[in-house]
Amino acid sequence: MTNTNSFDVKNDRNLTMLVDFYELTMGNGYFNKGLEDKIAYFDMFFRRVPDGGGYCIMAGVEQLIEYLSTLKFTDDDIKYLKSKHTFSEEFLNYLKNFKFSCDVWAVPEGNPVFPNEPLVTVRGPVIQAQFIETMILLTINHQTLIATKANRISRAANGRPVMEFGSRRAQGYDGAIYGARASIIGGCSSTACTISDKMFNIPAVGTMAHSWVQLYDSEYEAFKSWAEIYPDNCTLLIDTYNVIKSGIPNAIKVFDEVLKPMGKRPSGVRIDSGDITYLTKKCRKMLDAAGYEDCKIVISNSLDEYIIRDVLEQGACIDSFGVGERLITAKSEPVFGGVYKLSAVEKDGEIIPKIKISENDEKITNPGFKKLVRIFDKDSHMAIADLLTINNEVIDEKEELEIFDPVHTWKRKKITNFYTKDLQVPIFEKGKLVYTSPTVMEIKDFAKKETEKLWPEVLRFENPHTYYVDLSYDLWTLKQNLLHKYSTIYK
């Protein structure tokens, strides 16, 4: 179940007006043209995986739920909008009595997701479906970006815990709070962000800063005081002065003189600078020689998946990592390019597919009300491909299924002995919440399990194998017919 503390913090402010202004001007236009009840379908999707990767990790649905569950226009909001002299009195009255009534489907958090497949689909009155565009994109884009980066970093650590240390470098406090949440979903073991622990019940950790060591007359006194206060969880920061000549010898001396007489064992030492491979090898030898083979070595300092992979390949002796700015900001590629596009409208009870055409092939949208299906091998349970179909299509798992690349259509594959899973699930039905969010730790476990269903070739950091998102024959034909239609009209 969702930790209700998160709602307490969120509800201190009303985010209904966190919209792009054009969503309001279009809403006003729809209303004044009598289109307020026109039913529209929108898809939120992305076109490219950051960092040249092969997959992303879905995140942010719980915060989207919070937003959609609390949509309301306050008197101050209406007063502000009236001051813009842009909106009709009738439209402002509509907003004053606003009640969310859309259907929303989403891919649950933790699922691996791929370009050009709908992560969120909205069906409802066009004013409402258009109005929520910004917050859908903001929420899903940010957390999916950070969860994806965290997953890459955690996989590079090869089973070693990764702690998220980035709050002070995040883009604002929401970036820190929700970035910490997303990092746990992606695979991090804990966070330094205390409020995220309070809100989402995720492990918060932390020891000391260099200022603790500097405050004392000597490094030894600083370590001794810390060990006396925290004998059961004593981790010492050993790079304030000199790791090999000062830090590690003083740490061992304190372990011997303070912890050992108490019958306690040290938890670890942390290094925040210098040559990671060289220093950790030397520290490991010194700790082992002193009888502290179980003392962990923790490394921080501007790490990412590439540095972690490289130092481990070089034989660095590291037990866990603290990763900050390059995780919480996704520094190597800090933008997740999700978009929100109209895909269909209803007319006289019939779904009319819509398409956006562009000179850039990758910007041509997939039309219609669609269903997203993941195909698994029945024996290995590994993911084979994703398939977009028209919503009412049925895949017969007892029959052979042929899938094909929607652009290079000669690339085809016949599949037998498979099963399918619908990736999107209902979140709201006619404005009523019908979905219960798992806890963050449950989502983390789910993400790990689902990522393990991707072939290693897809998980590569460089030049990953393309995981195909194909179109069913019916959907592909629908798209080609629309392309032909509009190319004929506007030739």
Side-chain angles (χ1 to χ4, degrees):
M1 294 290 290
T2 299
N3 186 328
T4 54
N5 284 338
S6 61
F7 288 89
D8 295 338
V9 175
K10 161 71 173 60
N11 286 339
D12 286 343
R13 56 185 175 167
N14 176 24
L15 296 177
T16 298
M17 292 285 282
L18 208 169
V19 296
D20 286 289
F21 198 73
Y22 79 172
E23 289 153 19
L24 288 163
T25 56
M26 284 193 291
N28 183 69
Y30 292 141
F31 187 89
N32 284 284
K33 286 296 182 178
L35 298 173
E36 66 269 24
D37 295 323
K38 180 80 169 178
I39 299 298
Y41 295 74
F42 285 83
D43 291 329
M44 183 261 164
F45 60 95
F46 66 101
R47 298 188 177 106
R48 189 176 64 83
V49 177
D51 291 315
Y55 68 100
C56 293
I57 300 295
M58 179 69 172
V61 173
E62 184 180 334
Q63 282 61 55
L64 179 59
I65 289 171
E66 292 174 5
Y67 170 73
L68 295 177
S69 297
T70 57
L71 281 175
K72 62 179 180 179
F73 291 85
T74 67
D75 290 341
D76 283 345
D77 294 337
I78 300 300
K79 182 178 179 181
Y80 158 76
L81 292 173
K82 191 171 185 177
S83 74
K84 303 300 288 184
H85 304 293
T86 302
F87 309 105
S88 69
E89 286 294 331
E90 293 80 6
F91 177 62
L92 293 177
N93 188 59
Y94 166 83
L95 295 183
K96 191 172 184 179
N97 297 288
F98 183 89
K99 182 174 175 56
F100 184 64
S101 60
C102 291
D103 300 321
V104 181
W105 298 263
V107 176
E109 296 183 273
N111 273 291
V113 289
F114 301 92
N116 300 313
E117 55 188 29
L119 307 186
V120 180
T121 296
V122 178
R123 173 198 176 275
V126 65
I127 291 178
Q128 297 187 26
Q130 185 82 68
F131 178 79
I132 60 179
E133 172 184 4
T134 297
M135 277 298 284
I136 288 177
L137 292 173
L138 170 61
T139 304
I140 304 299
N141 279 348
H142 172 243
Q143 289 200 48
T144 301
L145 175 70
I146 304 305
T148 301
K149 189 66 170 178
N151 191 267
R152 288 169 61 87
I153 291 171
S154 297
R155 287 197 305 105
N158 198 22
R160 297 166 179 83
V162 174
M163 299 165 283
E164 184 277 306
F165 278 3
S167 294
R168 63 192 62 189
R169 304 286 170 78
Q171 277 98 346
Y173 43 81
D174 279 345
I177 293 169
Y178 296 113
R181 178 186 187 274
S183 74
I184 298 294
I185 289 173
C188 289
S189 62
S190 55
T191 178
C193 186
T194 309
I195 193 173
S196 293
D197 182 1
K198 178 178 180 289
M199 290 172 65
F200 306 117
N201 195 26
I202 58 180
V205 297
T207 54
M208 63 170 69
H210 293 108
S211 56
W212 175 275
V213 180
Q214 293 171 284
L215 188 70
Y216 286 82
D217 292 337
S218 71
E219 187 177 51
Y220 170 78
E221 289 179 72
F223 288 174
K224 180 175 181 290
S225 295
W226 191 267
E228 289 169 344
I229 299 168
Y230 301 108
D232 293 315
N233 186 26
C234 183
T235 298
L236 302 176
L237 181 60
I238 61 173
D239 72 323
T240 304
Y241 302 118
N242 187 296
V243 172
I244 303 303
K245 294 181 180 180
S246 171
I248 197 69
N250 278 324
I252 291 171
K253 185 176 180 183
V254 166
F255 297 159
D256 287 340
E257 295 180 357
V258 178
L259 297 184
K260 189 178 287 186
M262 296 182 186
K264 306 290 186 181
R265 301 292 292 179
S267 293
V269 295
R270 181 162 72 94
I271 303 171
D272 192 49
S273 60
D275 186 317
I276 294 171
T277 303
Y278 169 78
L279 292 174
T280 58
K281 287 181 177 180
K282 295 286 285 186
C283 287
R284 185 74 273 158
K285 287 182 179 179
M286 295 171 74
L287 287 166
D288 291 354
Y292 296 109
E293 296 90 348
D294 56 338
C295 181
K296 308 295 186 185
I297 298 177
V298 184
I299 296 299
S300 51
N301 184 32
S302 297
L303 302 174
D304 61 19
E305 64 268 43
Y306 300 106
I307 294 173
I308 289 172
R309 180 190 61 183
D310 289 349
V311 298
L312 290 178
E313 288 178 352
Q314 294 161 10
C317 299
I318 302 170
D319 296 290
S320 62
F321 297 89
V323 185
E325 62 188 47
R326 298 188 184 188
L327 167 55
I328 203 68
T329 65
K331 183 180 178 182
S332 55
E333 190 162 345
V335 176
F336 191 81
V339 295
Y340 188 75
K341 300 296 182 181
L342 181 75
S343 61
V345 298
E346 289 186 11
K347 184 177 181 180
D348 300 325
E350 181 184 356
I351 299 175
I352 310 298
K354 297 289 184 177
I355 191 170
K356 161 71 173 65
I357 300 176
S358 171
E359 294 294 326
N360 300 324
D361 290 346
E362 68 274 11
K363 289 194 172 185
I364 299 174
T365 61
N366 292 315
F369 181 33
K370 298 173 289 295
K371 179 167 60 177
L372 174 61
V373 172
R374 182 153 296 164
I375 306 168
F376 294 91
D377 182 270
K378 192 174 284 187
D379 293 329
S380 68
H381 304 290
M382 299 295 281
I384 298 171
D386 286 1
L387 186 66
L388 271 175
T389 75
I390 296 173
N391 186 259
N392 58 5
E393 282 189 67
V394 176
I395 298 174
D396 188 346
E397 297 177 359
K398 296 178 182 178
E399 297 291 328
E400 180 180 80
L401 175 67
E402 183 176 60
I403 59 175
F404 60 94
D405 186 306
V407 177
H408 308 106
T409 55
W410 63 89
K411 294 182 179 180
R412 293 173 176 260
K413 182 174 184 176
K414 292 183 178 180
I415 302 172
T416 58
N417 194 41
F418 69 93
Y419 63 94
T420 63
K421 174 185 175 183
D422 290 353
L423 286 190
Q424 285 192 333
V425 301
I427 306 295
F428 288 88
E429 292 181 358
K430 298 189 185 325
K432 180 182 178 181
L433 179 62
V434 295
Y435 178 78
T436 300
S437 294
T439 68
V440 177
M441 300 306 288
E442 287 170 340
I443 298 170
K444 174 189 174 181
D445 292 341
F446 175 76
K448 183 177 186 298
K449 181 182 72 172
E450 294 302 306
T451 304
E452 289 171 350
K453 295 177 183 177
L454 301 179
W455 293 101
E457 293 83 354
V458 177
L459 300 175
R460 282 197 301 255
F461 290 155
E462 286 97 5
N463 301 313
H465 175 75
T466 299
Y467 181 93
Y468 283 98
V469 178
D470 295 329
L471 307 185
S472 71
Y473 180 78
D474 288 350
L475 179 57
W476 182 85
T477 302
L478 170 64
K479 184 174 182 177
Q480 298 306 309
N481 288 341
L482 287 174
L483 288 171
H484 177 73
K485 171 185 175 181
Y486 287 109
S487 65
T488 301
I489 294 174
Y490 297 110
K491 65 181 178 179

